[in-house]
Amino acid sequence: MDFGVVLQTDPPARDVVAGMKAAEDNGFRYGWTFDSVVLWQEPFVIYSQVLAATKDLVVGPMVTNPSTRDWSVTASLFATLNDMFGNRTVCGIGRGDSARRVIGQKPASLAALGRAMTVIKDLAEGKEVEHHGTPVRIPWVRDGKLEVWMAAYGPKALKMVGEQADGFILQTADVDIARWTIGSVREAAVAAGRDPSTITMCVAAPAYVGTDLAHQRDQLRWFGGMVGNHVADLVARYGDSGAVPTALTDYIKGREGYDYSHHGRAGNRSTDFVPDSIVDRFCLLGPASAHVDRLQELREVGVDNFALYLMHDDKDKTLGAYGDEVVGRV
């Protein structure tokens, strides 16, 4: 299993760079950031500094979207970084949540997302595409390579992952949900004539190593609220039973709204509806041994990449504990 760390691009950017370097030193292979440029700083500027400060770390957004930048701009950003540092980027992408909603826009449609993934990947790899009705190619790309990993929860999105994405991002560490979603992606891949083993299965979730479970739960409750934004969209589309497992949908019944000014942060009062049981299922808490146990369960259902959201009040200790006690054991 490979490991990644997910950070927010809060200023000063040098702290993000230092955090990514520390992650690589602790055995992490991937460095991810949020991509919501009103709430945080522009990540692609910071990626160049991260890549310069590390040796092999692969960097990218978790996740970007098809709508806040033209697809040609997104492709050129990745291609430029790859040209400078040797194909060390990955494009995590979804329909868009905070990046879109804080500027008064809705998430992109799945159709737009699917087309964007093709155009961004092909342009970043030097291929010609039709974009805005015009043949376009980035002429300076040489030996470009860009994997595109798609974030998804619902049946139609999971089908799209299986049909065209290089990787799947599931933002919850619940084993049952991982089993269902990975199974759906694999089925769609087979139906599309693809080898499902070529799709990287990535679970992204917060982790906090320690013994004070009550404190850890309070620090990580924000994640259930963030996931709840996507679940609310699923319930609106599919209802609260049937197509989507109740293990994913039940807990948002008490959700009354969401304040994006506290998005992805401990203490977000918009997440008070999230019960302890959801924090325990969606996140990794407790001593390092408990993290190892959960990660081994996830590996057994097909997860081969774990991305650790590091947003709580004891980041350095958790990162070090993963380096010393978790990564090498999983």
Side-chain angles (χ1 to χ4, degrees):
M1 181 180 286
D2 285 327
F3 285 81
V5 65
V6 189
L7 302 178
Q8 292 164 333
T9 53
D10 286 317
R14 62 177 176 271
D15 289 350
V16 181
V17 177
M20 293 297 190
K21 187 176 186 305
E24 183 177 58
D25 290 343
N26 278 283
F28 287 71
R29 187 182 171 201
Y30 290 82
W32 305 92
T33 73
F34 283 53
D35 179 17
S36 190
V37 296
V38 172
L39 298 178
W40 301 288
Q41 293 184 328
E42 168 58 58
F44 284 92
V45 176
I46 298 171
Y47 294 155
S48 64
Q49 297 296 309
V50 172
L51 288 165
T54 56
K55 295 179 181 179
D56 300 304
L57 198 72
V58 177
V59 306
M62 187 169 282
V63 293
T64 192
N65 68 84
S67 307
T68 53
R69 302 178 188 87
D70 188 82
W71 302 344
S72 63
V73 173
T74 302
S76 185
L77 288 166
F78 282 114
T80 301
L81 292 171
N82 284 339
D83 186 66
M84 293 172 67
F85 298 101
N87 290 335
R88 290 171 53 199
T89 67
V90 57
C91 177
I93 193 168
R95 293 174 58 225
D97 180 34
S98 62
R100 296 289 294 159
R101 298 188 200 270
V102 297
I103 59 172
Q105 301 294 312
K106 294 181 180 179
S109 67
L110 275 179
L113 175 57
R115 179 63 181 154
M117 289 196 295
T118 298
V119 169
I120 291 168
K121 179 180 177 69
D122 284 354
L123 282 177
E125 294 185 344
K127 300 171 186 175
E128 183 177 291
V129 301
E130 182 175 301
H131 186 41
H132 302 309
T134 301
V136 178
R137 184 177 70 86
I138 301 178
W140 47 263
V141 172
R142 298 290 183 272
D143 301 318
K145 180 177 175 54
L146 180 67
E147 289 195 356
V148 178
W149 297 10
M150 178 179 158
Y153 290 106
K156 291 182 179 179
L158 295 169
K159 182 174 182 288
M160 181 175 287
V161 174
E163 290 172 343
Q164 72 175 95
D166 299 302
F168 167 47
I169 297 172
L170 172 65
Q171 292 168 309
T172 172
D174 182 285
V175 176
D176 290 335
I177 295 171
R179 182 184 294 108
W180 171 70
T181 53
I182 290 172
S184 297
V185 168
R186 286 174 171 165
E187 289 176 7
V190 171
R194 301 181 69 202
D195 179 356
S197 69
T198 64
I199 303 172
T200 301
M201 305 296 181
C202 174
V203 157
Y208 192 143
V209 175
T211 57
D212 187 345
L213 289 178
H215 178 72
Q216 290 176 320
R217 288 174 180 136
D218 286 342
Q219 285 287 299
L220 302 185
R221 203 174 306 276
W222 64 267
F223 184 68
M226 187 181 84
V227 173
N229 297 328
H230 303 288
V231 174
D233 287 344
L234 289 178
V235 170
R237 178 181 293 271
Y238 296 105
D240 58 5
S241 62
V244 181
T246 57
L248 185 58
T249 60
D250 270 358
Y251 82 99
I252 69 161
K253 292 178 180 178
R255 180 180 183 271
E256 296 180 352
Y258 191 81
D259 181 357
Y260 278 91
S261 66
H262 300 288
H263 187 61
R265 299 188 186 278
N268 184 347
R269 284 174 290 185
S270 298
T271 65
D272 289 346
F273 71 94
V274 179
D276 288 351
S277 59
I278 287 293
V279 181
D280 291 349
R281 283 172 42 203
F282 284 17
C283 307
L284 280 72
L285 302 85
S289 59
H291 294 240
V292 170
D293 290 345
R294 176 74 69 84
L295 290 166
Q296 288 175 339
E297 287 185 82
L298 289 167
R299 186 176 60 188
E300 288 173 2
V301 301
V303 175
D304 42 36
N305 191 298
F306 177 66
L308 189 168
Y309 282 98
L310 202 58
M311 291 105 194
H312 54 69
D313 62 1
D314 207 359
K315 302 174 185 177
D316 292 344
K317 181 179 177 181
T318 290
L319 193 63
Y322 263 67
D324 293 338
E325 305 177 65
V326 178
V327 172
R329 295 173 61 186
V330 180

